[in-house]
Amino acid sequence: MTNGTATPTDLDTRLEAHRTELTGYCYRMLGSSFEAEDAVQDTMVRAWRSYDKFEGRSSLRSWLYRIATNVCLDMLTAGNKRARPMDLTESTPLAQAALSPRPDNTWLEPMPDARVLPTTDDPAEAAIAKESVRLAFMAALQKLPAKQRAVLILREVLAWKASEVAELLGTSVASVNSALQRARATLAEQPEPGADATVSDPLDEDQQKLLDRYVAAFEGYDMTALTALLHEDAVMTMPPFDLWLTGVSDITGFMTTLGAPCAGSRLVPVQVNGLPGFAQYKPDPESGGFTPWAVQVLEISDGRITGFHCFLDTKRWFPLFDLPLHLEAETDQVEEGA
């Protein structure tokens, strides 16, 4: 099929074949689930409208990445950088804990693996892809200038050649190599909390047992059992609130005070940001059953939970993960979300 003879159906099929990987790229660039999907849709529309000008001097994939990069750079011209609570404030002792929300566009957002990680038979490639959407790496990317961010993603995550990146960005190989060197230096100087999280793919037996124990402890609201699973320097965050807590005593103390209404919750496993996670449903005293409360993302290192990140804007997150907005009282679990 040549460029000039592509039918609308053919073109739709060819463009859609790249949607997942483009969403992953835009998500790494923007740090927002919904902005990433908007950026990819804009990319597809631009590609459709200008396809008759596509001369085939590069692959369709490269051409789409060029369009997506320009879309993302345009969206980042305002300098907006997504963050985690620990990027904005100091850790708060439990005695001073207060739930102060910030606007949605402040926060690095979670993303279902299925929307950003293309299927691959190469275990090494799959591992790199998962590592590149973990919260710590995503937060680190947000600290880079937009073009450095693009260079680092294209070179180190997607394994593009420097010459290919230079052509995409309309610059020189020397400029690309310089940007990559500066980006690497910035990330090395500012390691993110959670950067040492290690999760096998698939989970190894010990990691799965740890998660099983976590579910039992959380659903039973057993703070003694939970204490045994948390690293002594574990971190808990709760966007859209800027509060974040460090250490077992403050985390469990919060859960039994301000977080006490979460007792009796149910957890449904999800695959999120290349990490194990759960959709948390809290008891619904008005209608019975359970109502959505949070998407939890867990970071694990050396057999303990080091990061416990709860994203509370359930009206946004649960539909994104294809999760139901209610669980019946007799339903202890549903099938895993996408």
Side-chain angles (χ1 to χ4, degrees), residues 31 81-88 105-109 139 142 239 311:
K81 296 181 179 181
R82 299 280 175 156
R84 298 197 290 174
M86 60 276 276
D87 299 320
L88 303 177
N105 63 6
T106 304
W107 303 115
L108 180 65
E109 297 179 345
Q142 297 298 302
F311 294 88

Short mmCIF file of all heavy atoms in Angstrom, two decimals, residues 31 81-88 105-109 139 142 239 311:
data_model
loop_
_atom_site.label_atom_id
_atom_site.label_comp_id
_atom_site.label_asym_id
_atom_site.label_seq_id
_atom_site.Cartn_x
_atom_site.Cartn_y
_atom_site.Cartn_z
N GLY A 31 3.62 13.50 32.31
CA GLY A 31 3.34 13.14 33.70
C GLY A 31 1.87 13.08 34.05
O GLY A 31 1.51 12.93 35.21
N LYS A 81 5.25 21.45 35.49
CA LYS A 81 5.91 20.20 35.83
C LYS A 81 5.08 19.47 36.87
O LYS A 81 4.73 20.04 37.90
CB LYS A 81 7.32 20.46 36.38
CG LYS A 81 8.28 21.09 35.39
CD LYS A 81 9.66 21.28 36.02
CE LYS A 81 10.64 21.89 35.01
NZ LYS A 81 11.99 22.06 35.60
N ARG A 82 4.75 18.25 36.60
CA ARG A 82 4.00 17.44 37.55
C ARG A 82 4.92 17.01 38.69
O ARG A 82 6.11 16.79 38.51
CB ARG A 82 3.44 16.22 36.84
CG ARG A 82 2.48 16.56 35.71
CD ARG A 82 1.10 16.89 36.25
NE ARG A 82 0.18 17.32 35.21
CZ ARG A 82 -1.13 17.23 35.31
NH1 ARG A 82 -1.67 16.70 36.41
NH2 ARG A 82 -1.92 17.67 34.35
N ALA A 83 4.35 16.86 39.88
CA ALA A 83 5.17 16.58 41.06
C ALA A 83 4.51 15.55 41.96
O ALA A 83 3.33 15.22 41.81
CB ALA A 83 5.40 17.88 41.84
N ARG A 84 5.29 15.04 42.89
CA ARG A 84 4.78 14.23 43.99
C ARG A 84 4.83 15.09 45.25
O ARG A 84 5.57 16.08 45.30
CB ARG A 84 5.61 12.96 44.16
CG ARG A 84 5.57 12.05 42.95
CD ARG A 84 6.03 10.64 43.27
NE ARG A 84 7.45 10.56 43.54
CZ ARG A 84 8.07 9.44 43.95
NH1 ARG A 84 7.36 8.34 44.16
NH2 ARG A 84 9.36 9.43 44.17
N PRO A 85 4.07 14.74 46.28
CA PRO A 85 4.07 15.59 47.48
C PRO A 85 5.47 15.86 48.04
O PRO A 85 5.75 16.96 48.51
CB PRO A 85 3.21 14.78 48.46
CG PRO A 85 2.23 14.09 47.57
CD PRO A 85 3.03 13.70 46.35
N MET A 86 6.37 14.84 47.98
CA MET A 86 7.71 15.04 48.54
C MET A 86 8.56 16.01 47.72
O MET A 86 9.60 16.45 48.17
CB MET A 86 8.43 13.70 48.71
CG MET A 86 8.62 12.92 47.45
SD MET A 86 7.16 11.94 47.07
CE MET A 86 7.42 10.49 48.05
N ASP A 87 8.10 16.36 46.51
CA ASP A 87 8.81 17.36 45.71
C ASP A 87 8.43 18.78 46.12
O ASP A 87 9.11 19.74 45.74
CB ASP A 87 8.47 17.18 44.22
CG ASP A 87 8.89 15.83 43.69
OD1 ASP A 87 9.98 15.36 44.06
OD2 ASP A 87 8.12 15.23 42.90
N LEU A 88 7.34 18.91 46.88
CA LEU A 88 6.80 20.24 47.15
C LEU A 88 6.90 20.68 48.60
O LEU A 88 6.97 21.88 48.88
CB LEU A 88 5.32 20.28 46.72
CG LEU A 88 5.03 19.92 45.26
CD1 LEU A 88 3.54 19.93 45.02
CD2 LEU A 88 5.74 20.88 44.32
N ASN A 105 -3.70 19.75 38.35
CA ASN A 105 -2.56 19.87 37.45
C ASN A 105 -1.22 19.97 38.19
O ASN A 105 -0.17 20.10 37.57
CB ASN A 105 -2.73 21.05 36.49
CG ASN A 105 -2.79 22.39 37.21
OD1 ASN A 105 -2.60 22.48 38.41
ND2 ASN A 105 -3.07 23.44 36.45
N THR A 106 -1.26 19.90 39.53
CA THR A 106 -0.02 19.88 40.32
C THR A 106 0.65 18.51 40.25
O THR A 106 1.88 18.41 40.26
CB THR A 106 -0.33 20.19 41.81
OG1 THR A 106 -1.02 21.44 41.90
CG2 THR A 106 0.94 20.21 42.65
N TRP A 107 -0.17 17.45 40.17
CA TRP A 107 0.30 16.13 40.54
C TRP A 107 0.69 15.22 39.37
O TRP A 107 0.03 15.20 38.34
CB TRP A 107 -0.78 15.41 41.37
CG TRP A 107 -1.18 16.19 42.58
CD1 TRP A 107 -2.40 16.74 42.83
CD2 TRP A 107 -0.34 16.55 43.68
NE1 TRP A 107 -2.38 17.40 44.04
CE2 TRP A 107 -1.13 17.31 44.58
CE3 TRP A 107 0.99 16.29 44.00
CZ2 TRP A 107 -0.63 17.82 45.77
CZ3 TRP A 107 1.50 16.79 45.19
CH2 TRP A 107 0.69 17.55 46.06
N LEU A 108 1.77 14.49 39.60
CA LEU A 108 2.08 13.34 38.76
C LEU A 108 0.95 12.34 38.92
O LEU A 108 0.53 12.04 40.04
CB LEU A 108 3.41 12.73 39.24
CG LEU A 108 3.92 11.50 38.49
CD1 LEU A 108 4.27 11.84 37.06
CD2 LEU A 108 5.14 10.93 39.22
N GLU A 109 0.45 11.83 37.80
CA GLU A 109 -0.75 10.99 37.84
C GLU A 109 -0.42 9.52 37.58
O GLU A 109 0.53 9.21 36.85
CB GLU A 109 -1.75 11.49 36.80
CG GLU A 109 -2.23 12.91 37.08
CD GLU A 109 -3.21 13.42 36.03
OE1 GLU A 109 -3.31 12.82 34.94
OE2 GLU A 109 -3.88 14.43 36.30
N ALA A 139 8.80 10.97 38.20
CA ALA A 139 9.02 12.20 38.95
C ALA A 139 10.37 12.81 38.59
O ALA A 139 10.50 14.05 38.49
CB ALA A 139 8.94 11.92 40.45
N GLN A 142 10.28 14.74 35.34
CA GLN A 142 9.62 16.04 35.44
C GLN A 142 10.58 17.16 35.82
O GLN A 142 10.27 18.33 35.63
CB GLN A 142 8.47 15.97 36.45
CG GLN A 142 7.36 15.00 36.06
CD GLN A 142 6.68 15.38 34.77
OE1 GLN A 142 6.14 16.47 34.64
NE2 GLN A 142 6.72 14.50 33.79
N PRO A 239 -2.08 12.22 47.08
CA PRO A 239 -2.59 13.28 46.19
C PRO A 239 -4.11 13.15 46.03
O PRO A 239 -4.61 12.03 45.95
CB PRO A 239 -1.88 12.98 44.86
CG PRO A 239 -0.65 12.22 45.25
CD PRO A 239 -1.06 11.40 46.43
N PHE A 311 -3.82 7.54 45.40
CA PHE A 311 -4.38 8.58 44.54
C PHE A 311 -5.89 8.59 44.76
O PHE A 311 -6.59 7.63 44.44
CB PHE A 311 -4.03 8.30 43.09
CG PHE A 311 -2.55 8.41 42.81
CD1 PHE A 311 -1.73 7.31 42.98
CD2 PHE A 311 -1.98 9.62 42.43
CE1 PHE A 311 -0.36 7.40 42.74
CE2 PHE A 311 -0.62 9.72 42.18
CZ PHE A 311 0.20 8.61 42.34
#
